[in-house]
Each structure stands twice: as structure tokens, then as C-alpha cells.
Amino acid sequence: MKKNLFFSIVLFALFSIALFSCSDNNDPDNGGENSSSVKTKAEAEALANAVYGPLQTLSSSYSFLLESATETTISFEEVDDSKDGPQVSVFETTPSNWYPIKVFNRLYKSIGAANLAIEEIGTANTSSNLTEADKTLLVARSKFIRGYNYFQLVQLFGEVPLVLTSSSTERTRASIDVVYDQIVKDLTDALPNLPEFDSNKSNPSQGAANTILAKVYLTWGQKPLSQSDISAISGTTDPTKPAPDTEKLQKAVEYANKVINSGKYQLLDSYNGIWGVANENNAEVIFSIHHDGDGIDAQGNHQTHCGFTWPKSARTDPHISYADITLENRIPDANDTRKLFSYATRIEYTDAVVDTLTWPVSIVRPGKWIHRTTDGTYRAVDEQPNNIDHIDFRYAEVLLIKAEALFFSNKASEALPVVNEIRKRAFGGHYEHGGKLSTLTKEDLYNEWDYEFAFEQKHWVNLVRWRTLLSQVKNTVPNYEYYKPEYQSATTIKTAFPEIANKINAAFYARVHSHLHAKIDNLHGKFYRFPIPLSEDYTSLGITPQNPGY
């Protein structure tokens, strides 16, 4: 089902509603009377599908927010480094930065749409045009998305207000545990009323609900940082990781096993086959946000071009890219197929023109989102449209969720074969290349997340969950090629490399150098979460207190 088919009916009305209603009436049923205006299945679907519109605008925004705020990525969205993308890239994020504003407010707009759908559909009269089964499914989808949205919010912003009715004026920040309780409630309420499996991966299913519940318990079980924990961080020293809640980690394993044992999902034989318009809804994808492209859905998935700019423009500054040439060696083994398709260093076009995406021509680009041919080779098509679905969860993540939960439950021997299942695909089963691990260390586990999910918007939340964000930045960035003093300015670059001075986009590399030094200079414990932002019209949302340091 195309999500934009029905939600456009009510999208503009929903977007005109403020984030928090001014009404003091917290009774969605207005005294118990049935005031629902929903009469038909189409009207109910319009309400339920309106939850997706705000999410369709966030596919690339998560990249700017979650990738740039780590050691791996820089953003040159605008020439002026004070703009929103570069601000995140150099750790100068503020409450008025567009990306926290956009993500926070759009997630709440989706929550508002979910609340309205739950109330209106739940109280609608049944008829031949709207059956009880129709109502049950659509309310379940709405609760799924509300739980999904709150999970995003609590990971990025910490304590957040729980707005659970369309008339709520709630601005008080609920505790971390209370937010997680609500997430679990929404997802478990939705779960039995969703289909076990849906071939359209943009439709919520039991497989998707079980997957998110597994990730919720994995994260919750490692005791997320509270306001006071953030305030207590000293300088650039990571907070100590506490002993985990092993009961919650066991729940993560149980929910992961539900997905694994369902037999509905699998690792594709080819890592290259996961991405691209031609590969949407493949057997590895569990949940995705549907995109039809610019001007058709709410925005189009700009993740497909922001990290690549435009085809045949290798010398043009990308909006967002890997932070250093050395990151192409982030995956150390050349036989690991993830290296080829995660870090694009060479693109061949359909007319045989080749771009070498490495210094001095350009910089390594994220390769997963480049539209390319389907014959198994790495040849890009000549256009870079924005109609590729955004993959939020895939089967490989379920395996790593299970492995991590087992590892931190002191069951590394049980986690090892789960990790090796992923590595078997990465090495084509050829463990003689070094693919198979004989033991599993914490560093091995962290590396597998890094190798498997490069530029899939998982890295920041992983570093926060592990409490390694600060050390990862300060121990990695100073070793980058572009951090060296030779790259300080266009003049020093051309002096250091006179033999290729005319081929070098010197100004670009000087800006990379500046961004990398700013990452180190501005690093602070407050970046373990993002600021509670302003509204989309840049006024206060009235949510206090602000996150520490902002």
C-alpha cells in the first residue's frame, strides 16, 4: 500500500495543528459520546496513514543529525559553515539548529496524527463500510508508529513529554523509564493485531514490532543516561557504563528470537542486493519508510543524493560525506564485501565514464544509497532520484541485537555464532579469508555494528548506548589524513602536494581540516544527547528543563 495514497487527504490539516493543543480537554471521547467523524474504511485509512507523512521528511535528516555528530562524517550542506548541517558536524548544535527542530517536531506531528487516529477510529461506529477488523488493524498501526516515534525521541533527546491524546497540553518531561514503559505498552498493544508478516515492508507487522521491541530492551537494558548523568560528565571523559539490567537484555533476546524463528526474514546472499529501488521489500528488510520521490511523497528520500551530490560531479562538494580518506580502510579486510559497497571509491557509469572518488579528485562517499544497475556490478545509473525507500530495520540488525544482549549478559560463547552468521555473508562463506571469529570480544562486537551498518544512521545511537561517544571522537579524528597541518589552507595543501596542485580541490580539503579540528575542540559531554529544540517557527515549545549544556 502506498502510504501517500490516503494520508494526503488529511496531511495539510494535521500539519496546521500546533505541536501541543491549546485545549484543556483531555477526554478524547468528550464525556463518552461517540463524536467520531469517521464513517468509512477510506476515511479511517486516511487518518491512520497520516502518521507517515512527517516521517517521510526525516529520512535524510537523520543522516545529518546522527552521522555528522560522530567521528565518521562531515557536512558541507552550505558554503557558510554556520549553517545547520555544518553546525552539527563541528559540534556547535543549538536549540535553533534546523535538524533537531525538524526531527523533534516532525516526530511529534506523527504522534499527534497517531493520537487522532487512535481516538477517531477507535470510537467510530462499525458498518459494512468500516468493519471491526478494519478498525483494529488501523489502530494497531497507529500505536506501532507512536511507540516507534517515542523510541526515536527518547534515544535522541532523553526525557520527553508523553503526549497521548489529541487534546493534551503536556509539556512536562517524563522520566526515561516512564517513556520506555509507554513505548513497550504501545508496541505490545499493537503486536497481536498486526499481521504476522507483510510483503510491503512499509506496513507495520508483527516482525517489525518484535524487532523494535528487541532494540528497545537492548537499549533500555543498558540503562540510558538521565539528565543528572549527562550533567555529571566531566570534560571529554565518557561516563562509566553501569552493569546492565540482564532481565531486560533477556527480553531483547526473546523478541529477537521471535523474528529469527518466524522464518519470514533472512540475510541476502549478496550484501549489494539490499539497497536500490529494484531491491525494495527484499527478504532482509523488516521495516522501511516508503518514498515515491520529490514532489510525490512528503519530501523524497534525500539520503540518496546528499552523500553523493550528483552523478558525474565528483569534484563538487557533497552535502554530507565521510570525514576522511582513511575511512575507506574502516573495514580492514579487503575480502569483506561490506567494504566495497559501504565506501564508494570508484563509480562506473552506464556510458563507461569512471569517477575515482578518492583524494586528490574527491572524497570517499557512502555507497549504499547510490542508485546503480542490478547486475551485481558497481555501476551507477546516470540519474540520482530520491524515490528509494528508507530502510529502518533489517534482519542483520536483529542478529546483532541478539548477539549484543547475549554478550552483555556474560554469554559471549552464545553470541559468537550469531555474529559469525553475519560475517559468513560478508565473506561469502569463505572463512579462510579471516571471516570467522574464534572468540568474541567487546571490540569485535562494536566493530561488527560498524562494518555492517556504515552510514545507516545507527552509529551515534550505538556510541551513546555503549558510552564511548567522546573517546571514539577524540581517539580517532586526530589520526585522520585531513587532520594533518598540511591541509590547513589551500596554500599549505598546494605547497605540500605541488605535483598535483592543479588537480586538488584545495578549498574543500581545507574545510575538511577545519571541521575535524572543530570536532576535537568543541567536543563535550553534552553531546550525549541533542538539545530540546525550538518549534518549526523558531519559538519556544515551553518544555523545561533544557538538556544539560544547552
Side-chain angles (χ1 to χ4, degrees), residues 194-236:
L194 295 170
E196 181 183 7
F197 175 81
D198 197 310
S199 58
N200 184 335
K201 305 305 176 65
S202 295
N203 288 333
S205 64
Q206 289 185 14
N210 284 325
T211 297
I212 298 175
L213 280 164
K215 188 68 174 288
V216 164
Y217 277 110
L218 177 73
T219 307
W220 195 11
Q222 293 181 65
K223 300 179 179 176
L225 292 161
S226 67
Q227 288 273 85
S228 58
D229 293 331
I230 301 288
S231 296
I233 296 174
S234 177
T236 59

Side-chain angles (χ1 to χ4, degrees), residues 18-274:
L19 174 61
F20 300 100
S21 169
C22 294
S23 169
D24 290 325
N25 175 18
N26 289 313
D27 180 5
D29 293 332
N30 290 329
E33 294 182 12
N34 183 349
S35 59
S36 175
S37 61
V38 174
K39 306 300 180 186
T40 67
K41 180 179 179 181
E43 291 170 348
E45 286 178 327
L47 282 171
N49 287 327
V51 302
Y52 301 99
L55 303 185
Q56 286 179 311
T57 68
L58 298 181
S59 293
S60 60
S61 298
Y62 282 128
S63 289
F64 282 99
L65 200 60
L66 298 182
E67 302 289 355
S68 295
T70 73
E71 84 288 2
T72 63
T73 308
I74 50 174
S75 170
F76 293 147
E77 185 181 14
E78 302 285 350
V79 173
D80 182 355
D81 283 356
S82 67
K83 295 293 184 179
D84 297 296
Q87 272 190 327
V88 180
S89 175
V90 298
F91 289 128
E92 292 181 353
T93 315
T94 68
S96 61
N97 183 279
W98 174 239
Y99 287 107
I101 287 174
K102 185 179 181 184
V103 170
F104 188 90
N105 284 276
R106 301 292 169 89
L107 286 171
Y108 269 107
K109 284 179 178 177
S110 179
I111 288 169
N115 289 338
L116 186 62
I118 292 166
E119 294 163 7
E120 290 291 309
I121 298 170
T123 59
N125 291 322
T126 58
S127 69
S128 59
N129 289 322
L130 180 64
T131 67
E132 193 64 38
D134 295 331
K135 291 175 53 178
T136 299
L137 173 60
L138 295 172
V139 168
R141 286 182 175 177
S142 301
K143 287 188 175 182
F144 170 96
I145 290 296
R146 188 170 69 180
Y148 163 94
N149 289 340
Y150 274 118
F151 185 40
Q152 302 287 71
L153 285 164
V154 75
Q155 290 180 98
L156 304 186
F157 301 98
E159 298 88 343
V160 292
L162 282 176
V163 180
L164 301 176
T165 69
S166 62
S167 58
S168 174
T169 60
E170 185 61 66
R171 287 175 172 82
T172 302
R173 301 179 69 174
S175 72
I176 296 290
D177 284 343
V178 169
V179 177
Y180 271 97
D181 279 332
Q182 182 62 44
I183 294 166
V184 170
K185 182 179 188 307
D186 274 342
L187 292 171
T188 53
D189 282 353
L191 202 155
N193 297 318
L194 295 170
E196 181 183 7
F197 175 81
D198 197 310
S199 58
N200 184 335
K201 305 305 176 65
S202 295
N203 288 333
S205 64
Q206 289 185 14
N210 284 325
T211 297
I212 298 175
L213 280 164
K215 188 68 174 288
V216 164
Y217 277 110
L218 177 73
T219 307
W220 195 11
Q222 293 181 65
K223 300 179 179 176
L225 292 161
S226 67
Q227 288 273 85
S228 58
D229 293 331
I230 301 288
S231 296
I233 296 174
S234 177
T236 59
T237 301
D238 289 306
T240 302
K241 193 172 189 294
D245 183 332
T246 54
E247 289 186 6
K248 288 186 175 65
L249 294 185
Q250 179 57 37
K251 295 285 285 185
V253 172
E254 291 172 6
Y255 279 109
N257 280 338
K258 289 178 185 291
V259 181
I260 294 167
N261 295 335
S262 73
K264 301 295 184 180
Y265 309 96
Q266 64 185 55
L267 294 177
L268 299 187
D269 291 338
S270 170
Y271 191 72
N272 183 31
I274 299 171

Side-chain angles (χ1 to χ4, degrees), residues 4-24:
N4 62 308
L5 184 60
F6 293 107
F7 84 76
S8 58
I9 299 172
V10 294
L11 181 60
F12 290 109
L14 287 167
F15 265 61
S16 68
I17 297 173
L19 174 61
F20 300 100
S21 169
C22 294
S23 169
D24 290 325

